[in-house]
Amino acid sequence: MNGEEIKRTLKEYNLQSWSKQKNLNPIPVEKAEGIYFWDYEGNRYTDMSSQLVNMNLGFGNQAINQAIKDQVDQFCFVGPSYGAESRAELAKRIIKLMPENMGKVFFTNAGAESNENAVKIARMFTGKHKIFSRYRSYHGSSFGAGNLTGEPRRYALEPGVPGFIKFFDPYVYREAVDFESEEAATKYYLTKLEEQIQYEGTDSIAAIVMETITGSNGILIPPKGYMSGVRALCDKYGILMICDEVMTGWCRTGKMFAFEHFDIKPDIVTFAKGVTCGYVPLGGVVVTKEIAAYFDDNLLSCGLTYSGHPLSCAAGVACVNYYEEANILDNVNEVGMLLGEKLEELKASHDCVGDVRYIGLFSAIELVKSKETKEALVPYGKDTQGIMGKILGLLKERKFMTYTHENMILIAPPLIITKEQLVEELVKVDEVLSIVDDTYVK
Ligand SMILES: Cc1ncc(COP(=O)(O)O)c(C=O)c1O
């Protein structure tokens, strides 16, 4: 097929996620390399979101490709109850990357399945049923994970799962209270959370599920002391702390896993995306030694045909090797520093930029109608005029490919991006923000 035929055929036969189908215009991709991809007309685009914040190592990584090919040559699949070397190796490598309290991993195919299974494990282990998660969160779109999710992508699943409780995020920029310090913000949010735990019944809560750093919903970085405070509340009330590292894991934030920024040890960690960088699907649930030991004599009532698929695990081992051997964390921290500086410059020079938030190569630009009132550029969950889509279109005209969520532009390029490439791309954002200033700011 040529590019036009691919597009036409997709539009005729394929349902695309999260979209009204009528006016879709998918770019047919002919080739891809590093941080770039090309359409069938030879136009080059820059992937400034690592696709869905999963292609951490960019396109065409030969080490990952080769590992998949080698596994194909040995065998593509054996079921979860058989021994596959790639599965054994990856399980060991993942546990070695975790704090010493972590014991075993249960493999899944993706992020949603990881969170669903984490919740099941937490319920089985604690014998309790309630699960806390936050409003500004995304944990996947299958039934259970979609109910953990707090943002509007949850609505299609409602009425939801009984016992799934939402609490407020530490979203300091948009809080009604003006905090004197990060510590004051932390105290406020933890007090409210503890109150809510008490109202729900301290003996009924199995787990608190959090994106360690909120991703799609705007890179909400917890204020100082917040995560250790949640950890302390979990310990006080016998609640398991589940960190969703589906987006933040695998070097994205400048650490292998984002919880390392906060000096905490979760009870359960979920991951997906960057473990294989999208070359093949894989996810997983890491549990403590204590939880793992519980299932020595109790049935682990979780199962998936493709749990620990050998091809995916082979890709996973190659990715872990590459993160380490290519010192990806050094690049994330160096280029991430520059990203932060450039975003602060954009905030200072554009009226439409209310806030910028960034850590490693994980960032968001929050757009407002007015810096003073902080009125969001589009109302929550209701961008009826498609303004953010238009802004995305302006970026796309410049071949800067990313996605937006609510009133935010997300920027999370592949972790192999160079400083020169980043600077070149941010010039395009600067241009587009000038248009937004002129068109939408009061
Ligand atoms: C934090 C987080 N958790 C879970 C998911 C769901 O992952 P998947 O789409 O692989 O099911 C996502 C997807 O973007 C995510 O960002």
Side-chain angles (χ1 to χ4, degrees):
M1 293 188 206
N2 63 31
E4 274 312 307
E5 283 163 345
I6 293 171
K7 212 189 304 189
R8 209 171 46 241
T9 311
L10 281 172
K11 288 190 66 159
E12 193 170 348
Y13 296 107
N14 182 56
L15 283 170
Q16 187 180 309
S17 353
W18 308 120
S19 314
K20 290 181 185 164
Q21 307 292 310
K22 194 160 48 185
N23 295 320
L24 291 176
N25 188 23
I27 298 173
V29 178
E30 187 175 26
K31 61 173 185 165
E33 187 62 45
I35 68 165
Y36 302 112
F37 56 92
W38 287 260
D39 66 17
Y40 280 68
E41 258 108 59
N43 295 305
R44 191 187 80 173
Y45 302 80
T46 313
D47 182 5
M48 290 302 285
S49 65
S50 312
Q51 294 298 298
L52 301 181
V53 199
N54 62 331
M55 293 205 76
N56 287 4
L57 295 174
F59 297 101
N61 183 298
Q62 288 308 312
I64 310 173
N65 286 350
Q66 193 57 50
I68 295 170
K69 288 177 193 167
D70 291 346
Q71 184 61 56
V72 168
D73 287 341
Q74 188 192 10
F75 52 76
C76 285
F77 181 73
V78 289
S81 61
Y82 293 91
E85 184 181 347
S86 60
R87 186 184 296 149
E89 178 66 16
L90 185 61
K92 184 172 94 182
R93 296 292 294 279
I94 289 172
I95 297 306
K96 299 280 175 220
L97 289 171
M98 289 276 156
E100 89 297 330
N101 66 321
M102 300 313 265
K104 287 186 182 172
V105 56
F106 175 73
F107 286 116
T108 68
N109 297 295
E113 278 182 0
S114 301
N115 289 323
E116 303 241 352
N117 282 287
V119 166
K120 277 177 79 175
I121 289 171
R123 285 180 163 181
M124 287 185 271
F125 177 73
T126 61
K128 306 188 220 174
H129 73 283
K130 285 193 181 171
I131 306 289
F132 272 44
S133 60
R134 296 187 298 209
Y135 280 106
R136 296 254 181 182
S137 69
Y138 183 71
H139 294 290
S141 77
S142 53
F143 207 86
N147 270 286
L148 288 174
T149 293
E151 48 115 311
R153 283 181 278 183
R154 161 175 55 103
Y155 300 162
L157 296 156
E158 293 188 319
V161 177
F164 277 33
I165 313 293
K166 297 290 173 299
F167 66 106
F168 282 94
D169 315 75
Y171 190 4
V172 176
Y173 173 70
R174 282 213 171 271
E175 195 50 72
V177 181
D178 260 337
F179 299 114
E180 271 170 20
S181 61
E182 285 194 42
E183 288 79 359
T186 290
K187 187 163 175 238
Y188 172 85
Y189 291 113
L190 292 177
T191 306
K192 288 284 163 204
L193 176 57
E194 184 162 16
E195 244 176 83
Q196 206 179 344
I197 289 171
Q198 285 165 349
Y199 293 153
E200 286 297 333
T202 53
D203 295 335
S204 63
I205 305 160
I208 295 179
V209 182
M210 288 174 299
E211 290 178 70
T212 314
I213 294 168
T214 301
S216 297
N217 281 266
I219 317 298
L220 306 179
I221 302 167
K224 270 196 204 97
Y226 176 87
M227 292 301 274
S228 49
V230 175
R231 177 70 269 180
L233 287 175
C234 287
D235 291 342
K236 185 169 171 186
Y237 295 109
I239 299 169
L240 296 181
M241 184 181 202
I242 302 180
C243 286
D244 177 341
E245 293 268 353
V246 169
M247 232 180 218
T248 51
W250 309 108
C251 305
R252 173 57 58 192
T253 69
K255 301 270 187 194
M256 186 55 84
F257 296 97
F259 65 76
E260 295 168 31
H261 289 288
F262 307 112
D263 199 22
I264 50 155
K265 288 182 189 156
D267 298 298
I268 297 182
V269 176
T270 59
F271 66 85
K273 296 192 187 265
V275 65
T276 51
C277 296
Y279 282 58
V280 275
L282 184 69
V285 184
V286 183
V287 302
T288 58
K289 290 179 176 143
E290 194 190 350
I291 297 173
Y294 172 83
F295 291 106
D296 284 346
D297 296 311
N298 292 284
L299 178 75
L300 178 71
S301 186
C302 300
L304 298 157
T305 298
Y306 299 128
S307 181
H309 195 293
L311 281 184
S312 309
C313 289
V317 173
C319 287
V320 175
N321 284 339
Y322 200 89
Y323 286 132
E324 289 176 346
E325 284 161 16
N327 297 319
I328 292 296
L329 278 176
D330 291 348
N331 195 55
V332 173
N333 286 310
E334 255 180 56
V335 185
M337 187 102 75
L338 180 65
L339 172 65
E341 286 164 19
K342 291 279 164 199
L343 290 176
E344 292 293 350
E345 284 172 25
L346 292 175
K347 179 175 161 184
S349 59
H350 291 284
D351 292 337
C352 66
V353 179
D355 199 17
V356 289
R357 294 180 290 272
Y358 47 85
I359 183 162
L361 287 171
F362 199 39
S363 71
I365 300 176
E366 174 152 3
L367 301 178
V368 291
K369 286 188 180 162
S370 151
K371 275 193 207 273
E372 282 70 48
T373 65
K374 297 186 184 173
E375 184 187 349
L377 193 74
V378 295
Y380 185 73
K382 290 199 166 49
D383 181 11
T384 42
Q385 294 169 45
I387 291 174
M388 294 308 290
K390 287 178 193 149
I391 294 171
L392 212 51
L394 292 168
L395 290 167
K396 186 174 167 188
E397 276 171 22
R398 290 159 177 78
K399 309 288 183 276
F400 182 109
M401 302 307 293
T402 186
Y403 64 94
T404 60
H405 185 86
E406 297 294 340
N407 59 328
M408 338 241 186
I409 301 172
L410 279 115
I411 301 181
L415 310 181
I416 52 170
I417 193 170
T418 64
K419 287 183 178 171
E420 294 69 30
Q421 288 170 325
L422 181 79
V423 169
E424 196 180 322
E425 294 306 320
L426 291 180
V427 169
K428 302 175 188 173
V429 179
D430 194 16
E431 276 173 32
V432 168
L433 292 175
S434 296
I435 301 173
V436 177
D437 283 342
D438 294 343
T439 318
Y440 301 110
V441 173
K442 283 181 180 168

